[in-house]
Amino acid sequence: MELSTSLYLLLLLSVSAAVVPRTAASIGINYGQIANNLPSPDRAVPLVKSIGATKVKLYDADQNVLCAFAKTGIEFTVGLGNEYIVQMRDVNQARAWVKNKVQAFLPDTKITSIAIGNEVLTSNDTGLVDSLIPVMENLHTALAELGLDRQVTVTTSHSLAVLETSYPPSTGRFRRDLAGYMARVLDFQCRTGSPIMINAYPYFAYQASPNQVTLDFVLFQPGHGILDPSTNLQYDNMLFAQMDAFYSALNAIGYKNLTVHVSETGWPSKGDANEIGATVENAKKYNGNLIKLVSQKKGTPMRPDQSFNIYIFALFNENLKPGPTSERNYGLFNADGTAVYSLGIPSKGSSTGNTTGSGGGSGGGGGVTPIWLPPPNGYLPIDSGSERLEELVGTFAVLFVALSYLVF
């Protein structure tokens, strides 16, 4: 007997409102390999450990990396690239992929998640968009057939461009043209218990409007905060404001307790002349303060009791990435394994480290609360995460809130 549409929706909303166990805050790192000069994966293991990372996210399922990290206890998210999504609509290919790329490395390598593509819903590729849910289902089914579905989840990473509004955070809503797709993704994640992943880059907000967005706000430094007039919640860093805009979008369609991970965030240490803010000092402050903030287990103003998980972009500078200079300079480490800058984190066996400034936090933010102003154009460019190889998302994207405030 089939459920009526209304009853089906009611059950889905009931599931989404269920209490989700709180997950411990953790630091992850994105391990990209668009380069021809990187150290071998076995040399990457101590570098990952040196920054206190307990999770690694790959954009593929590189066997050399997975073997190198065997028995280290570090959790892995392996990736299925956008270029392989459509062919995985064939359930037999999906089964073969799971067996060869996941099962073959368990249990020695702790693979806990598969990320299907990256920012698919904002790719403007209808073939990819239409294939996303069927492929997520196929891979989950393949995991279930192998008895792995309880230890390996299936997810996908979204750009903040899935938001139609994000100013102020309490008004965050999903784009109407993506609402149906987004609901299907969220239904799948409610049913299978996988985390939602978003790519968030405050750097691009600062780069786009340095006269309106202060460095203190994007670098988790003490300074002027901003106030959401609808909730009276105070924000003293942009990343938390971006996250709460996404939470608001989830709340608006009934998914109030789903877990959200920041699958990419970072800051370039070098850029072209027009790439304002891309400096070693700013990258050091952003990533160093972010790591401190995560270690304090603080939630966002909207979800203060929920720790969050982040994946910094990226482990290495990647010399073959196309695009502006910044694209090749997001790494915490150079190709020879030396640190691009100190994060102020004592290494194992080390007692000192250069501090990078005070952490942010979800409340307080000293100084005068600025006046809210309407966004200059309503829709402004926002970077598209690791698909930064493409052009900026442009008019489809919503640049976040802090582009629109004025500091006295």
Side-chain angles (χ1 to χ4, degrees):
M1 178 176 171
E2 293 185 357
L3 290 172
S4 67
T5 300
S6 58
L7 178 57
Y8 176 68
L9 291 175
L10 179 61
L11 289 173
L12 285 176
L13 290 177
S14 298
V15 171
S16 71
V19 176
V20 175
R22 177 174 172 173
T23 56
S26 66
I27 296 291
I29 189 78
N30 285 278
Y31 190 163
Q33 299 183 81
I34 306 177
N36 61 6
N37 59 353
L38 298 183
S40 60
D42 62 294
R43 291 179 57 200
V45 175
L47 300 181
V48 170
K49 291 182 176 180
S50 74
I51 61 171
T54 59
K55 298 183 179 183
V56 171
K57 185 162 73 70
L58 297 177
Y59 295 94
D60 52 21
D62 188 297
Q63 65 176 7
N64 294 321
V65 174
L66 295 175
C67 287
F69 281 81
K71 299 182 179 179
T72 62
I74 292 174
E75 295 183 20
F76 268 80
T77 293
V78 296
L80 175 72
N82 287 11
E83 65 272 27
Y84 301 113
I85 289 178
V86 174
Q87 70 188 62
M88 293 300 161
R89 294 192 71 152
D90 181 333
V91 68
N92 292 321
Q93 291 200 47
R95 286 193 187 104
W97 192 92
V98 169
K99 287 180 179 179
N100 295 330
K101 303 296 185 180
V102 178
Q103 185 186 37
F105 299 96
L106 296 172
D108 288 352
T109 304
K110 195 175 181 181
I111 299 173
T112 59
S113 186
I114 302 170
I116 309 300
N118 191 57
E119 302 183 351
V120 171
L121 294 185
T122 49
S123 67
N124 298 323
D125 185 324
T126 55
L128 287 182
V129 172
D130 291 339
S131 296
L132 180 60
I133 291 298
V135 170
M136 293 178 79
E137 293 282 6
N138 281 351
L139 290 178
H140 176 72
T141 298
L143 289 167
E145 290 173 350
L146 296 170
L148 300 175
D149 55 310
R150 292 187 178 276
Q151 67 183 91
V152 182
T153 61
V154 176
T155 186
T156 188
S157 295
H158 303 290
S159 163
L160 288 180
V162 296
L163 298 180
E164 181 169 285
T165 57
S166 57
Y167 167 86
S170 58
T171 65
R173 299 294 184 272
F174 292 117
R175 279 169 43 180
R176 280 166 287 184
D177 61 317
L178 297 179
Y181 292 106
M182 202 70 204
R184 292 176 64 197
V185 171
L186 296 172
D187 289 345
F188 171 87
Q189 297 191 283
C190 277
R191 176 164 47 85
T192 62
S194 64
I196 302 168
M197 304 187 88
I198 60 171
N199 299 336
Y201 286 87
Y203 163 70
F204 288 97
Y206 177 73
Q207 183 194 33
S209 190
N211 294 325
Q212 290 178 281
V213 180
T214 68
L215 271 173
D216 283 347
F217 191 60
V218 292
L219 297 179
F220 310 98
Q221 298 279 84
H224 295 283
I226 59 174
L227 182 72
D228 186 323
S230 298
T231 61
N232 286 323
L233 292 175
Q234 184 87 6
Y235 292 86
D236 61 5
N237 72 76
M238 178 179 280
L239 183 63
F240 276 7
Q242 290 177 322
M243 291 178 68
D244 275 358
F246 195 87
Y247 284 137
S248 292
L250 290 174
N251 293 346
I253 58 174
Y255 297 90
K256 296 185 177 181
N257 293 294
L258 290 181
T259 300
V260 176
H261 293 178
V262 178
S263 45
E264 285 185 22
T265 191
W267 196 285
S269 60
K270 185 179 180 181
D272 295 321
N274 64 339
E275 294 189 283
I276 299 171
T279 68
V280 168
E281 186 61 24
N282 288 341
K284 172 182 175 179
K285 287 180 179 178
Y286 184 84
N287 287 320
N289 286 335
L290 175 60
I291 289 174
K292 290 179 182 178
L293 190 59
V294 173
S295 69
Q296 293 168 11
K297 299 182 179 179
K298 290 184 177 181
T300 68
M302 194 173 289
R303 295 193 180 183
D305 297 325
Q306 184 172 322
S307 300
F308 65 103
N309 296 267
I310 63 102
Y311 290 83
I312 294 173
F313 189 87
L315 185 60
F316 294 111
N317 284 333
E318 298 171 71
N319 70 333
L320 295 183
K321 295 194 72 175
T325 298
S326 62
E327 288 299 325
R328 295 174 287 284
N329 290 278
Y330 273 85
L332 301 184
F333 295 95
N334 296 301
D336 62 2
T338 60
V340 178
Y341 44 83
S342 169
L343 288 170
I345 304 169
S347 300
K348 216 168 187 180
S350 170
S351 60
T352 61
N354 294 329
T355 58
T356 59
S358 301
S362 60
V368 179
T369 299
I371 297 174
W372 286 100
L373 295 175
N377 299 315
Y379 296 87
L380 294 172
I382 179 175
D383 176 71
S384 62
S386 70
E387 292 296 312
R388 291 188 309 272
L389 312 179
E390 307 288 334
E391 294 182 356
L392 294 180
V393 177
T395 58
F396 288 100
V398 181
L399 178 62
F400 187 69
V401 45
L403 287 178
S404 308
Y405 79 91
L406 178 65
V407 177
F408 287 149

